[in-house]
């Protein structure tokens, strides 16, 4: 331990390491200073001292862009782990003290943004002093946050493969075929998958949970979709369908909470696609009392808050 203490004196302060991580994540000293409510000269001075202590340059300016050196990236990586250990310690101490307030951090994929606020809203009524951080991103961004261990929980329909992730399935996620209200297929009560696939199809972007589910489904039935456009947003797909650009397959929750005006749900062979929503957490991350309560709440009552099975009348 004495050697660890002596090493710490030659690496810099925890505050300096924290500043370096925030500057790296923000990509700018100015943005980092604003986020931390500090002046830019203060941040620059502390990072200059850190570089002097280490005897290595950590980053340099290339135009308006900060570029981190190999040493800088190494320090950022290790600093994140050091700061994470402080976070874990704080969680464990709060648990020993029986603290029932604090923060709950969630990161969800874009499709989940339609229903997760309803789940969180019901839970937060029980804890009015709870501060909830809610991040919405595409699947790649949410995976990145999970790898960096930035949140208590994540919501995926297609979770990444990671042995350190615990998956709690809490809600069915049906994917339904949709078309514009006046589309020829809306006049049919039984549509073959082959016929549906001949129409111009609007696909979610590669890597999204919806794209994974639809691609696997089509491959299973040996069908090739007539993909006309690839679109990165559920809302954009809905408006594109309404505009007559094609048909698509989207989550029932996108349609339920986002609205069905101008759209029809089609009765297509082998549909809906049956998938699942998962609440995901890192096993290695200690759970705060609030996180434990939220997990218990989702397991016991999460699926009861949604009655989407009765939301749709299929054409």
């Amino acid at each position: 331990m004495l050697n660890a203490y002596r090493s710490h004196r030659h690496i810099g302060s925890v505050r300096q390491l924290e500043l370096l991580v925030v500057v790296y994540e923000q990509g700018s000293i100015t943005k980092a200073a604003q986020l931390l409510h500090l002046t830019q000269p203060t941040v620059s001075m502390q990072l200059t001292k850190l570089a002097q202590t280490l005897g290595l340059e950590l980053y340099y300016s290339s135009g308006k862009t900060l570029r981190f050196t190999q040493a800088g990236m190494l320090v950022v990586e290790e600093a994140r782990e050091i700061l994470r250990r402080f976070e874990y310690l704080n969680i464990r101490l709060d648990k020993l003290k029986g603290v029932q307030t604090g923060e709950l951090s969630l990161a969800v994929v874009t499709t989940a943004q339609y229903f997760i606020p309803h789940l969180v809203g019901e839970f937060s009524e029980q804890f009015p002093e709870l501060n909830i951080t809610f991040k919405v991103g595409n699947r790649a961004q949410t995976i990145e946050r999970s790898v960096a261990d930035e949140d208590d929980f994540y919501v995926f329909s297609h979770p990444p493969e990671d042995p350190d992730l615990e998956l709690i399935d809490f809600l069915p996620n049906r994917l339904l075929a949709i078309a514009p209200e006046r589309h020829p297929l809306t006049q049919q009560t039984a549509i073959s998958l082959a016929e549906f696939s001949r129409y111009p199809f609007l696909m979610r972007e590669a890597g999204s949970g919806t794209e994974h589910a639809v691609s696997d489904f089509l491959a299973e039935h040996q069908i090739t979709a007539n993909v006309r456009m690839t679109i990165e947003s559920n809302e954009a797909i809905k408006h594109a369908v309404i505009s007559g650009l094609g048909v698509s397959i989207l989550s029932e929750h996108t349609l339920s909470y986002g609205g069905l005006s101008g759209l029809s749900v089609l009765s297509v062979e082998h549909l809906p696609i049956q998938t699942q929503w998962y609440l995901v957490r890192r096993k290695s991350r200690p759970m705060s009392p609030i996180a434990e309560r939220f997990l218990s709440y989702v397991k016991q009552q999460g699926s009861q808050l949604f009655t989407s099975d009765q939301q749709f009348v299929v054409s």
Side-chain angles (χ1 to χ4, degrees):
M1 290 304 298
L2 182 59
N3 287 337
Y5 170 73
R6 287 170 177 166
S7 297
H8 164 67
R9 290 185 300 169
H10 297 290
I11 290 177
S13 69
V14 172
R15 181 56 168 169
Q16 289 170 341
L17 297 177
E18 179 185 24
L19 291 176
L20 184 69
V21 170
V22 176
V23 167
Y24 172 76
E25 291 177 346
Q26 295 298 311
S28 161
I29 293 176
T30 300
K31 290 180 180 179
Q34 292 172 345
L35 182 65
L36 297 170
H37 304 291
L38 299 171
T39 65
Q40 182 176 341
T42 297
V43 175
S44 296
M45 180 182 65
Q46 287 298 319
L47 295 185
T48 297
K49 288 182 178 179
L50 176 61
Q52 291 172 344
T53 300
L54 296 171
L56 292 165
E57 291 296 324
L58 302 176
Y59 57 84
Y60 60 92
S61 297
S62 176
K64 295 183 178 180
T65 303
L66 281 185
R67 301 195 180 278
F68 276 64
T69 64
Q70 182 179 0
M73 290 302 302
L74 176 60
V75 176
V76 166
E77 180 181 349
E78 295 300 328
R80 279 175 163 168
E81 183 61 29
I82 291 168
L83 296 172
R84 186 174 295 118
R85 300 316 302 178
F86 276 100
E87 181 185 10
Y88 286 5
L89 175 60
N90 188 56
I91 290 172
R92 291 189 171 103
L93 291 175
D94 281 348
K95 195 168 183 177
L96 288 175
K97 291 185 288 187
V99 174
Q100 296 299 323
T101 59
E103 295 187 358
L104 181 71
S105 179
L106 303 172
V108 308
V109 294
T110 51
T111 304
Q113 69 181 313
Y114 295 101
F115 64 87
I116 285 296
H118 298 271
L119 180 65
V120 172
E122 293 282 344
F123 178 74
S124 65
E125 287 183 1
Q126 302 178 20
F127 303 94
E129 297 180 359
L130 177 64
N131 179 29
I132 298 178
T133 302
F134 185 68
K135 298 288 185 180
V136 179
N138 61 33
R139 183 171 178 270
Q141 291 167 333
T142 308
I143 289 176
E144 185 178 346
R145 291 187 67 87
S146 74
V147 171
D149 191 21
E150 295 190 36
D151 308 278
D152 294 302
F153 297 103
Y154 309 87
V155 176
F156 292 98
S157 61
H158 189 79
E161 294 185 7
D162 186 333
D164 189 38
L165 293 181
E166 177 185 3
L167 311 181
I168 302 100
D169 58 326
F170 72 99
L171 184 66
N173 180 34
R174 300 188 309 167
L175 277 64
L176 307 174
I178 58 172
E181 285 181 336
R182 294 181 177 84
H183 194 278
L185 290 177
T186 62
Q187 306 305 311
Q188 301 183 39
T189 57
I191 305 163
S192 71
L193 184 58
E195 182 179 7
F196 176 74
S197 67
R198 286 196 288 269
Y199 286 87
F201 188 82
L202 309 179
M203 180 72 87
R204 276 296 304 269
E205 80 280 9
S208 72
T210 300
E211 186 271 337
H212 273 287
V214 171
S215 295
D216 289 348
F217 170 78
L218 294 175
E220 177 185 351
H221 294 282
Q222 299 181 330
I223 293 290
T224 301
N226 178 19
V227 177
R228 181 176 189 177
M229 298 175 65
T230 299
I231 302 177
E232 295 186 358
S233 156
N234 290 319
E235 286 301 308
I237 286 182
K238 285 171 56 181
H239 287 289
V241 171
I242 292 170
S243 299
L245 292 176
V247 298
S248 192
I249 297 176
L250 289 180
S251 167
E252 61 181 335
H253 301 293
T254 297
L255 303 172
S256 174
Y257 294 105
L260 266 173
S261 178
L263 298 170
S264 290
V265 177
L266 304 176
S267 178
V268 178
E269 177 187 25
H270 304 304
L271 286 169
I273 302 172
Q274 301 286 350
T275 62
Q276 196 76 21
W277 284 110
Y278 296 90
L279 187 70
V280 178
R281 63 171 296 270
R282 286 218 160 271
K283 299 174 185 177
S284 56
R285 181 185 182 88
M287 281 199 293
S288 67
I290 287 296
E292 288 182 341
R293 284 178 175 262
F294 183 72
L295 178 58
S296 176
Y297 174 80
V298 170
K299 287 180 175 180
Q300 294 176 15
Q301 302 183 43
S303 61
Q304 299 175 19
L305 295 176
F306 307 101
T307 55
S308 54
D309 286 345
Q310 302 173 359
Q311 292 284 344
F312 304 102
V313 176
V314 179
S315 300

